[in-house]
Amino acid sequence: MIQHFSKILHLAYRNLFRNKRRTLFAIFIAASGYAAMAIALGYYGFSIYGLQEMTIRNGFGGAGGTGHLQIKDSRSLESQEKYTLEFGLADYQKMVKTIKNQPEVDYVLPRIEFGGLVTTGDKSFPFIGYGVESMHEAALRGGLSDINPNLKLGEEIKPLDKNKFGIILGKKLANALGVKIGDPLMLYGATVQGAVNAIDVELVGVMSTGLNETDKYYLLTHIDLVQKLVNTDKISLISVMFKNRDSLDYKVSTIQSILASTKGPDNNKTIGVITWETLAEYYTAAKDLFNMIFSFMGIIILTIVILSCWNIMNMTTMERIREIGTLRAIGLKNTNITFIFLLEAFLISIIGLLIGIIAQVILSNIINALNIEMPPVPGMNQCYALQVYTLSPYHLFIAIAVVLAITLSSLSAFFIIRKLTIVESLEHA
């Protein structure tokens, strides 16, 4: 059996050199088909990873990155607050301290969300603001530089460290107010009791969130300053960053167990732990769109590969009708002859695949090295670098698909062979 297979394999290999031009063309189709799909998949993979990191570290609505998970009053997901920080977290320092002590936790980010008016005295504009701990917030956003070295979001937050009454404004809001760094401003906001309060602040920075609309009303400052403005010791939520995303479900259950033993009386049975994917509406929508686009693109490329190779194998079969008749006359069955054609196509696909892998790796590294700047996504104002993954587990599926597509394209030989008798094959011109 093994000896019989080796003879057929050797025959299939020799047949590759009968028409070198056609064989080379088939190999080129296999190589280019794999390389095109692999590079597209590499771009898709890096884009999805970039969207994930953007969601976790920066967000798309100005509220900052989601972190790997958020701890907040679960009622805030179902209904609007009747007054400021109705669903805020009280006695949060105990929760923060306990969570920080977990070995898998990198850092914890308490946050407070508020709104009001910012004024120069002559001009006033509404804002949506966020109180943060600047050191950890800078570390969170600074992680995006691993994806795009041009992004300096972490650096833009660091000026808050130097001024406890400092604020950072979105670019468009700062332009509308006509202010520059160092100018004094005043914030007006509603306290938790419903009164109006004001506090003097200083502009220490201007930044872009990446979203044009968000830049029109964005304000960032210290948690302590916001708590003083709204007259509370509560915060809106706690974001948690782990050292990595491995075994996230287990880590979430661990945090849930911890919170069950540290809930205060005001938060009893209302604190919820929400993973970043649950909060990532923009990411989910973008991923669904990417899946549709790249699936459609992959199907088109694979179809072109199949049809091209089917045509080549069809032409090859028609040129070898008399040879097929001779093989049948000496006793070879149709299945054995078809198997020879299948092996020929399989060898072409393997050779083409190896060349395609080499070409894809070289082209991917060239693309990454060029650091091509892509235009901003609609609605955003920051460019991003074109990068592709050189290799990923999904590339294996593309390789298998290309090999199967090209190998099965040779089945055209079987349909031609079974229609002809031995005499018709031998008489074929």
Side-chain angles (χ1 to χ4, degrees):
M1 181 67 180
I2 297 176
Q3 188 177 8
H4 178 68
F5 175 77
S6 64
K7 286 181 179 180
I8 292 179
L9 180 62
H10 180 66
L11 182 60
Y13 173 74
R14 291 181 61 186
N15 284 338
L16 296 180
F17 300 95
R18 296 182 58 144
N19 192 324
K20 296 180 181 179
R21 182 181 298 176
R22 192 165 292 155
T23 299
L24 288 174
F25 186 63
I27 290 172
F28 172 77
I29 291 173
S32 58
Y34 171 82
M37 287 193 291
I39 291 173
L41 181 65
Y43 173 67
Y44 165 81
F46 193 89
S47 297
I48 292 298
Y49 173 72
L51 283 171
Q52 291 173 350
E53 287 297 297
M54 194 73 175
T55 301
I56 292 169
R57 294 186 174 277
N58 185 66
F60 293 96
T66 61
H68 289 135
L69 62 83
Q70 286 188 358
I71 301 165
K72 58 168 65 176
D73 193 312
S74 56
R75 292 175 295 176
S76 65
L77 301 175
E78 302 168 357
S79 57
Q80 293 290 327
E81 292 179 325
K82 296 177 182 178
Y83 55 87
T84 303
L85 291 176
E86 177 188 3
F87 302 141
L89 302 178
D91 193 25
Y92 69 92
Q93 293 91 345
K94 183 179 178 181
M95 283 190 286
V96 169
K97 184 178 179 180
T98 304
I99 295 170
K100 277 183 178 178
N101 291 332
Q102 301 306 305
E104 63 271 15
V105 173
D106 197 1
Y107 45 87
V108 181
L109 305 100
R111 291 175 179 158
I112 185 169
E113 301 173 354
F114 72 113
L117 287 175
V118 55
T119 179
T120 62
D122 296 325
K123 294 181 179 179
S124 299
F125 287 93
F127 69 85
I128 296 178
Y130 306 93
V132 299
E133 288 185 353
S134 56
M135 182 179 69
H136 288 150
E137 203 73 30
L140 176 70
R141 303 191 187 205
L144 286 174
S145 59
D146 294 337
I147 300 173
N148 187 353
N150 297 326
L151 292 177
K152 303 293 182 183
L153 296 179
E155 298 295 326
E156 293 176 328
I157 297 175
K158 288 184 179 179
L160 284 177
D161 293 337
K162 302 174 183 177
N163 191 333
K164 65 180 181 179
F165 291 100
I167 66 168
I168 294 174
L169 295 179
K171 281 185 177 180
K172 293 199 172 185
L173 179 55
N175 291 337
L177 287 167
V179 293
K180 62 183 183 298
I181 293 175
D183 286 352
L185 296 166
M186 182 172 285
L187 300 184
Y188 289 93
T191 67
V192 293
Q193 293 81 19
V196 176
N197 197 9
I199 191 168
D200 292 312
V201 295
E202 179 183 336
L203 182 64
V204 298
V206 176
M207 66 179 287
S208 173
T209 62
L211 293 169
N212 292 321
E213 284 301 312
T214 303
D215 285 349
K216 294 178 181 179
Y217 54 79
Y218 185 73
L219 185 149
L220 193 68
T221 188
H222 299 280
I223 285 181
D224 294 341
L225 187 146
V226 180
Q227 289 178 327
K228 184 177 179 181
L229 177 66
V230 301
N231 191 29
T232 186
D233 59 357
K234 291 183 178 181
I235 61 170
S236 301
L237 58 91
I238 299 171
S239 289
V240 179
M241 279 295 290
F242 298 110
K243 294 175 182 177
N244 54 61
R245 276 190 266 164
D246 298 340
S247 305
L248 188 58
D249 291 339
Y250 169 75
K251 294 173 182 176
V252 169
S253 64
T254 301
I255 297 297
Q256 287 174 327
S257 300
I258 292 170
L259 292 178
S261 61
T262 58
K263 289 178 181 178
D266 295 337
N267 299 314
N268 189 33
K269 297 182 180 179
T270 62
I271 292 180
V273 176
I274 308 156
T275 62
W276 71 271
E277 289 176 304
T278 305
L279 299 164
E281 294 181 3
Y282 182 88
Y283 162 74
T284 302
K287 183 181 178 182
D288 290 342
L289 178 62
F290 272 43
N291 286 342
M292 183 176 65
I293 291 173
F294 284 95
S295 296
F296 183 68
M297 184 189 305
I299 290 171
I300 289 176
I301 295 174
L302 196 60
T303 301
I304 292 172
V305 170
I306 292 173
L307 292 178
S308 299
C309 291
W310 183 282
N311 184 51
I312 290 172
M313 297 307 295
N314 228 15
M315 293 172 64
T316 302
T317 304
M318 293 304 297
E319 289 177 357
R320 294 163 61 183
I321 292 295
R322 296 185 68 181
E323 175 193 337
I324 291 170
T326 303
L327 292 173
R328 293 177 65 188
I330 63 176
L332 258 69
K333 297 180 180 178
N334 287 344
T335 52
N336 289 334
I337 298 172
T338 303
F339 189 58
I340 292 173
F341 280 90
L342 284 171
L343 281 177
E344 288 179 29
F346 177 74
L347 291 173
I348 287 172
S349 67
I350 293 298
I351 296 170
L353 179 63
L354 293 175
I355 295 173
I357 291 173
I358 295 170
Q360 178 257 329
V361 170
I362 292 173
L363 289 172
S364 296
N365 285 320
I366 290 174
I367 291 171
N368 293 338
L370 289 175
N371 201 25
I372 300 170
E373 195 171 80
M374 299 292 286
V377 175
M380 301 187 72
N381 53 28
Q382 291 177 341
C383 299
Y384 65 96
L386 173 61
Q387 298 285 297
V388 298
Y389 280 142
T390 304
L391 292 173
S392 75
Y394 297 106
H395 283 84
L396 176 62
F397 295 105
I398 293 180
I400 294 172
V402 168
V403 171
L404 286 175
I406 295 175
T407 303
L408 295 178
S409 68
S410 64
L411 286 175
S412 59
F414 174 74
F415 297 116
I416 294 172
I417 293 168
R418 45 178 279 195
K419 289 180 180 179
L420 299 173
T421 65
I422 297 176
V423 174
E424 288 173 334
S425 300
L426 293 172
E427 292 179 346
H428 189 272

